[in-house]
Amino acid sequence: MKKTFTLILSLFITLQCYALSSYTGEYKLYAKTKLGSMHIGAAQFVLDVDGNKYIYTTEARTSSLLKALYDYSRSEQSIGEEIDGELISTHFSVVERIKDEVRKDYEFTIIDRKSVISSTGKKWTIDPGNLVDQLSVYLALSIDIQKNPGQVEFIYQVADEDGVEYQKFLLEGYQTVSIKEKEIETIVIICPELELTLNLSIEHNLQPVLIHKINGNSEFKLVLKEFKKPT
């Protein structure tokens, strides 16, 4: 089954030439409760590409109807470049708020792919190999899957506020998902350490159309609402 899958993927990739390209993705945010799945907010992913350099940002927040109960927002930004088909992350920042209180506000810079310096004053040494931040990993997967269609395991050093750790992403197979009455062919990627499942759309340059995350007893899902490319 794995061999059949990688053969189909290889045939697909030979039909296209991959490059990072700008887009805006609008998502609906759902939470799973005892009463079922509930729409609780929205998120936006924006990739701005200029030559081989990129700025990747996300904004997520609860809906206006829920703000009285839980007013939450989070913004992230990843800055880097692509050189010879390899993604190089150089800077990452996060701001997270609950109502008017800032719960997280940090950033870090990656120096010569050898060390990470955080705004908290911490510094970590990096092993040789792939290094991404928790946002640019989506871009790295998109590039690496298309560069290596026969590969089913992708391992990255992922930097966040707690340091740098290895995370394994496994290619599980194909899944056809229905969004807004449209069927979309996707590649399923799981990260067991993060309890994360990604559905990467073949039509949308292997960017996520579904993101499913388990946090303890809570489950969250982002579902693509609209995908736009610059005209």
Side-chain angles (χ1 to χ4, degrees), residues 72 74-77 91-96 102 104-108 134 161:
Y72 172 87
R74 179 184 173 97
S75 61
E76 301 174 327
Q77 183 181 77
H91 189 265
F92 178 75
S93 60
V94 171
V95 177
E96 186 176 272
V102 176
K104 291 185 178 181
D105 184 1
Y106 71 90
E107 57 187 293
F108 56 75
Q134 57 197 49
E161 64 178 320

Side-chain angles (χ1 to χ4, degrees), residues 27 173-177 179 184-190 196-202 206-212 221-222:
Y27 295 79
Y174 281 117
Q175 183 180 18
T176 301
V177 298
I179 298 177
I184 300 175
E185 297 297 328
T186 69
I187 295 169
V188 181
I189 301 289
I190 66 169
L196 173 71
T197 302
L198 305 172
N199 284 76
L200 307 181
S201 169
I202 295 173
L206 292 186
Q207 295 305 305
V209 293
L210 287 178
I211 300 174
H212 181 245
K221 182 181 288 187
L222 282 173

Side-chain angles (χ1 to χ4, degrees), residues 109-117 123-126 131:
T109 302
I110 299 169
I111 308 297
D112 297 328
R113 306 175 71 186
K114 295 179 180 178
S115 61
V116 177
I117 299 176
K123 183 176 180 179
W124 300 280
T125 301
I126 302 166
L131 173 71

Side-chain angles (χ1 to χ4, degrees), residues 61-62 66-73 97-100:
R61 63 183 67 249
T62 48
L66 290 178
K67 281 189 175 181
L69 297 175
Y70 189 63
D71 186 357
Y72 172 87
S73 67
R97 292 185 174 89
I98 296 179
K99 292 187 176 180
D100 296 325

Side-chain angles (χ1 to χ4, degrees), residues 162-218:
D162 298 319
V164 180
E165 63 178 23
Y166 283 94
Q167 292 175 357
K168 183 186 299 183
F169 294 81
L170 304 174
L171 192 151
E172 287 289 287
Y174 281 117
Q175 183 180 18
T176 301
V177 298
S178 180
I179 298 177
K180 296 177 66 174
E181 300 182 348
K182 179 182 179 180
E183 291 192 343
I184 300 175
E185 297 297 328
T186 69
I187 295 169
V188 181
I189 301 289
I190 66 169
C191 179
E193 294 96 334
L194 299 177
E195 295 187 277
L196 173 71
T197 302
L198 305 172
N199 284 76
L200 307 181
S201 169
I202 295 173
E203 178 185 347
H204 301 94
N205 211 14
L206 292 186
Q207 295 305 305
V209 293
L210 287 178
I211 300 174
H212 181 245
K213 180 75 171 70
I214 298 176
N215 287 335
N217 295 324
S218 301

